[in-house]
Amino acid sequence: MPIKKVMKANEAAAWAAKLAKPKVIAAFPITPSTLVPEKISEFVANGELDAEFVKVESEHSAISACVGASAAGVRTFTATASQGLALMHEILFIAAGMRLPIVIAIGNRALSAPINIWNDWQDTISERDTGWLQFYAENNQEALDLILIAFKVAEDERVLLPAMVGFDAFILTHTVEPVEIPDQELVDEFLGEYVPKHAYLDPAKPITQGALGFPAHYMEARYGVWEANEAAKKVIDEAFAEFEKRFGRKYQKIEEYRTEDADIIFVTMGSLAGTLKEYVDHLREKGLKVGAAKITVYRPFPVEEVRELAKKAKVLALLEKNVTFSVGGALFQDFSRALINESEKPKIVDFILGLGGRDVTFKDLDEALAIAQKALNGEKVEEVNWIGLRKEIL
Amino acid sequence: MAVRKPPVTTREYWAPGHAACAGCGCATALRLATKAFSEVMEEKYGDPDAFAIAHATGCMEVVSAVFPYTAWKAPWIHVAFENAAAVASGIEAAWKKLGKKGKILAIGGDGGTADIGMQALSGMLERWHNVVYLMYDNEAYMNTGIQRSSSTPYGAWTTTSPPGKYSIGEDKPKKWVALIAAAHQIPYVATASIGNPFDFIRKMKKAAKVDGPAFVQVQCTCPTGWKSPLEKGVEIARLAIETGVWPLFEIENGDIWNIKIQAPGGGAKVKRKDGRVVAIEFKKPIEEYLKLQGRFKHLFKQPEAIDQLREQIKTMWKALGVEVTLPKPGE
Ligand SMILES: Cc1ncc(C[n+]2csc(CCOP(=O)(O)OP(=O)(O)O)c2C)c(N)n1
Ligand code: SF4
């Protein structure tokens, strides 16, 4: 029987790791994710998780050790955030290029400067071009579930890509919620024993990994990562379906909420989706035709689903906790790409908000709504809008 | 007829066909190192192939693994410039969990070890991974075109330490990475040279036998970066030993107060006390070593710079607990 426990997303991530039974974990503490390696150390110390815990001296070494271990043919896991993920940046490309199905749990946190330990998504968004799969959790249950799903997809023969699962700093990492811990046997059946699907370091079959790729070969390797990202779309759907069958919780790349007959659909990711659903309820009570959509899978980017979503609204209002300078948010770029050649498309208005842990309140959302409504009425509005700026200190 | 056993196995792990420059001393070092390593694997695990290599970015990495070819007859992985030690840590952890018998060899150049990789190396040694780390020391970043590293000796020309009106070439003394490694009090630390291949083989075997971390720093010549004759690599490396420029020593069982200095040869007079080398009177001046290399050519116009280098070498030996006499030419 699955048990329910009240826990933080960090603990949920550690539980997911425990259930997935990685053989090697290498991690380095960073707020807000520190509790993940701490909790895993406890599991290892108590014999509840039979794994090697490599207590590395930096995040760069954490991901490097994961690459080594994964290349040696075992399931591996790590956790980090913000500056830690940035320090891993170089190796993230290598892990993807080598097609190693490592999974990282990320407590999504803002990047310096100024130093800030609170939530936004800039850390993982900045790694969107590394080739890694990216999932974003709305709540602690999703943090646990998506990590299991991430392993499943990453290790699939058709994919073989590393994956990161983000959950918002403090809003989730340090907030307790009831989380259902699935049965170990069911997880074992879902994930299966890890068997490396491709080449790995073995004296009986010596191979070379990480060779120099001349112009004659490099592009094909990158294309391989592209193809695997494409292939992951289907594999993710299958994994979601299987997960639902086994555990009863439903996931979709884009989850829609009251989008039927909506004029305006707000789109966001992570825990903000929770706030947004409430906000939509509140607007619907007032008779406004507004819906919400949550991006659960950000890489591979669900282009088809975005096109379907776009058919349902006259205005898409994107709520983003990240910035791509001169462009707006990253989603704005991605949505533009998905819709540019569609014959009928909604207006897209972009909102940047909640950076560095600034609360996103109904008042902020009202501000965004007012702009979206203007767009709906055919008035000209700014394409990119910063919401909740304290103009008095600018 | 009696057949003499070769000093090291005839098995090859570093295959011909790699793309190193003609006369590359580092290629020789890796070939010998992997042979010696495999002998111990055979002894220890009954399988000469029971090892894997984690390699840092650098000359020896790019020349050996140009897709779709490889010079490696062992499982081998290259991840990045600074992290061979961390990658090796991960492989070792995985093998431990898999119950796989064998040992990991990490390889890095002086840049990948003494500079950018220092942190990962220190972490690996301190965590006591069962890994031998081999630093092949060609005393500069060769792969990127001969830039100085912290292991570049005083006075040497490199592209980032060019001699000029206001520059003598590299202006800092060489960093002693072996002593930094020894400060971790690990089971085995040694310096070696391709100028004494038998000693190098012996040390690689010793390092491989240890349970726990070991560190070997081998000086190896780079005709391209040192501007030296292709065929004189071993001779130059031997001169480094015989003139006092390159000390050979071992530090065992974490006993950093017990540095075992080896006699240099080349006519040097060695004074021992309680079996330990306490003084060496070198007979060959360091100029004999320097003059074979274009990277030191400019020093001969400024003999005080060579004297400065001599003083630094004395200081280094003093740190090793040995008083040395370093003659000037003609003395
Ligand atoms: C993070 C990073 N910075 C810089 C480089 C470029 N780079 C590749 S190899 C190298 C120098 C290698 O020098 P060393 O370790 O001494 O080995 P050698 O080439 O001399 O064999 C440099 C600077 C890199 N690959 N990665
Ligand atoms: S540049 Fe030097 S170290 Fe590099 S391959 Fe050539 S000789 Fe060897």
Side-chain angles (χ1 to χ4, degrees):
Chain A
M1 275 293 286
I3 48 165
K4 232 178 197 162
K5 269 184 187 249
V6 172
M7 63 171 81
K8 302 167 183 167
N10 277 336
E11 290 171 283
W15 271 96
K18 178 177 182 287
L19 290 164
K21 299 182 178 166
K23 285 223 163 58
V24 174
I25 294 135
F28 191 77
I30 182 166
T31 303
S33 306
T34 308
L35 188 63
V36 183
E38 281 176 348
K39 192 80 195 156
I40 290 173
S41 316
E42 262 176 51
F43 288 143
V44 174
N46 298 335
E48 291 173 72
L49 173 59
D50 178 24
E52 278 293 311
F53 192 120
V54 188
K55 293 163 184 139
V56 284
E57 79 296 343
S58 72
E59 289 86 355
H60 193 284
S61 285
I63 186 66
S64 301
C66 284
V67 167
S70 188
V74 300
R75 185 175 284 159
T76 63
F77 179 78
T78 182
T80 191
S82 183
Q83 309 300 127
L85 186 64
L87 186 57
M88 290 181 177
H89 174 72
E90 181 197 19
I91 311 304
L92 297 180
F93 276 89
I94 295 170
M98 285 191 178
R99 311 295 296 275
L100 300 171
I102 300 161
V103 173
I104 305 188
I106 312 275
N108 281 116
R109 165 185 154 184
L111 280 158
S112 297
I115 188 167
N116 174 296
I117 58 172
W118 295 275
N119 166 242
D120 64 36
W121 311 318
Q122 194 68 56
D123 51 2
T124 43
I125 288 291
S126 298
E127 306 301 345
R128 75 197 145 150
D129 299 334
T130 53
W132 284 58
L133 309 174
Q134 291 199 353
F135 300 84
Y136 289 79
E138 179 184 331
N139 53 45
N140 298 356
Q141 183 70 57
E142 290 196 12
L144 188 152
D145 293 350
L146 289 174
I147 288 171
L148 296 179
I149 292 165
F151 273 115
K152 175 93 178 163
V153 177
E155 292 170 3
D156 191 286
E157 218 156 348
R158 293 164 289 174
V159 179
L160 291 172
L161 285 177
M164 49 182 81
V165 178
F167 37 89
D168 291 344
F170 296 98
I171 303 170
L172 299 181
T173 58
H174 286 63
T175 306
V176 294
E177 287 178 342
V179 172
E180 187 175 301
I181 300 167
D183 279 342
Q184 183 67 62
E185 301 84 78
L186 283 183
V187 174
D188 289 348
E189 281 170 29
F190 177 66
L191 284 185
E193 173 104 12
Y194 179 64
V195 184
K197 306 280 190 321
H198 57 328
Y200 58 95
L201 298 168
D202 183 358
K205 289 181 285 177
I207 53 141
T208 287
Q209 274 174 289
L212 174 67
F214 270 8
H217 300 107
Y218 179 84
M219 219 168 136
E220 284 66 25
R222 285 296 276 175
Y223 183 72
V225 175
W226 168 279
E227 254 191 330
N229 257 275
E230 291 304 307
K233 291 175 177 172
K234 180 161 173 270
V235 177
I236 289 169
D237 286 336
E238 288 171 17
F240 282 163
E242 189 182 338
F243 190 88
E244 187 184 356
K245 209 170 78 203
R246 286 185 193 276
F247 304 101
R249 284 184 292 279
K250 184 179 169 77
Y251 289 95
Q252 285 169 297
K253 289 183 200 128
I254 298 185
E255 183 190 312
E256 294 183 25
Y257 186 75
R258 304 187 78 169
T259 51
E260 67 286 349
D261 73 1
D263 290 329
I264 298 170
I265 298 179
F266 283 103
V267 184
T268 196
M269 314 200 299
S271 66
L272 187 52
T275 314
L276 186 59
K277 286 174 192 168
E278 267 204 54
Y279 184 63
V280 164
D281 285 343
H282 157 81
L283 296 182
R284 287 274 176 180
E285 268 167 39
K286 288 199 203 161
L288 290 172
K289 288 187 194 162
V290 175
K294 173 181 81 177
I295 308 281
T296 302
V297 180
Y298 177 64
R299 283 292 181 272
F301 191 66
V303 175
E304 291 309 318
E305 285 81 354
V306 165
R307 287 182 185 152
E308 286 310 307
L309 182 74
K311 287 181 189 150
K312 297 180 180 162
K314 300 194 178 85
V315 174
L316 290 177
L318 311 179
L319 304 173
E320 311 204 54
K321 295 191 191 178
N322 72 87
V323 191
T324 295
F325 294 102
S326 317
V327 171
L331 283 180
F332 190 34
Q333 213 173 19
D334 296 314
F335 270 66
S336 305
R337 181 282 192 213
L339 300 179
I340 188 159
N341 289 325
E342 296 298 282
S343 49
E344 297 227 355
K345 46 186 171 262
K347 287 189 178 139
I348 310 177
V349 198
D350 196 30
F351 298 98
I352 290 167
L353 74 188
L355 301 188
R358 180 156 303 174
D359 258 351
V360 179
T361 62
F362 274 23
K363 195 166 146 277
D364 297 318
L365 297 178
D366 283 342
E367 208 181 308
L369 176 70
I371 297 170
Q373 282 173 324
K374 273 191 189 169
L376 182 66
N377 296 334
E379 286 175 54
K380 200 166 161 47
V381 299
E382 291 290 336
E383 286 180 326
V384 180
N385 305 273
W386 287 63
I387 298 293
L389 272 188
R390 294 183 54 201
K391 301 232 167 64
E392 75 278 13
I393 59 168
L394 279 175
Chain B
M1 206 174 78
V3 179
R4 258 183 76 189
K5 192 173 172 283
V8 72
T9 176
T10 51
R11 277 189 303 274
E12 298 286 352
Y13 292 92
W14 167 266
H18 60 72
C21 313
C24 175
C26 302
T28 306
L30 296 204
R31 180 166 173 233
L32 295 178
T34 43
K35 280 166 171 274
F37 205 79
S38 114
E39 276 201 11
V40 177
M41 295 306 104
E42 183 162 35
E43 222 177 282
K44 234 177 136 113
Y45 305 109
D47 176 5
D49 301 339
F51 65 103
I53 299 170
H55 203 139
T57 312
C59 258
M60 290 301 98
E61 168 263 321
V62 299
V63 304
S64 64
V66 181
F67 185 81
Y69 306 105
T70 181
W72 294 101
K73 293 185 176 182
W76 180 94
I77 185 169
H78 157 248
V79 178
F81 186 23
E82 60 287 335
N83 63 355
V87 176
S89 302
I91 302 169
E92 191 244 17
W95 278 21
K96 210 187 240 171
K97 234 34 261 154
L98 292 170
K100 214 168 188 139
K101 284 209 177 87
K103 194 160 179 140
I104 314 303
L105 174 62
I107 301 174
D110 47 297
T113 308
D115 295 341
I116 200 167
M118 182 51 93
Q119 172 186 308
L121 172 65
S122 177
M124 184 205 93
L125 297 178
E126 169 273 321
R127 290 188 304 269
W128 220 256
H129 289 279
N130 192 18
V131 173
V132 174
Y133 191 102
L134 175 67
M135 166 182 173
Y136 67 93
D137 188 1
N138 55 19
E139 304 191 323
Y141 302 165
M142 298 310 176
N143 180 51
T144 35
I146 323 169
Q147 296 82 29
R148 63 84 67 177
S149 79
S150 58
S151 196
T152 298
Y154 179 83
W157 161 90
T158 70
T159 58
T160 50
S161 62
K165 197 165 166 197
Y166 300 103
S167 165
I168 190 61
E170 172 57 30
D171 63 352
K172 306 283 187 309
K174 186 178 170 78
K175 186 195 266 188
W176 278 99
V177 185
L179 294 184
I180 298 173
H184 293 76
Q185 303 181 50
I186 55 174
Y188 188 71
V189 172
T191 58
S193 164
I194 61 151
N196 190 343
F198 298 107
D199 177 65
F200 175 44
I201 290 166
R202 179 181 69 81
K203 284 169 173 164
M204 276 311 292
K205 286 187 187 171
K206 219 161 157 177
K209 273 182 198 149
V210 153
D211 284 313
F215 178 86
V216 178
Q217 179 176 359
V218 59
Q219 193 201 30
C220 44
T221 50
C222 162
T224 309
W226 294 15
K227 299 179 183 290
S228 57
L230 300 185
E231 70 287 0
K232 287 203 190 299
V234 172
E235 183 181 331
I236 292 170
R238 190 174 300 152
L239 278 168
I241 304 166
E242 292 175 353
T243 59
V245 169
W246 184 251
L248 293 181
F249 60 82
E250 290 175 290
I251 302 171
E252 287 177 73
N253 305 319
D255 187 355
I256 52 176
W257 303 114
N258 186 16
I259 301 181
K260 279 185 220 145
I261 307 286
Q262 286 159 251
K269 268 199 203 148
V270 175
K271 206 168 119 196
R272 289 193 167 81
K273 204 174 148 196
D274 304 327
R276 285 179 64 168
V277 174
V278 291
I280 304 174
E281 205 181 305
F282 286 93
K283 289 294 174 217
K284 292 184 183 171
I286 62 172
E287 281 84 348
E288 284 201 28
Y289 169 69
L290 303 177
K291 75 181 180 203
L292 289 172
Q293 305 170 53
R295 63 174 174 157
F296 294 117
K297 198 169 103 199
H298 58 283
L299 295 185
F300 288 90
K301 290 185 210 119
Q302 277 165 288
E304 54 305 342
I306 299 184
D307 289 337
Q308 172 84 25
L309 178 58
R310 236 187 296 273
E311 284 314 307
Q312 283 178 14
I313 293 170
K314 275 189 194 160
T315 307
M316 175 266 295
W317 279 102
K318 211 167 170 179
L320 299 174
V322 183
E323 284 295 334
V324 294
T325 322
L326 299 172
K328 289 192 177 189
E331 268 183 10

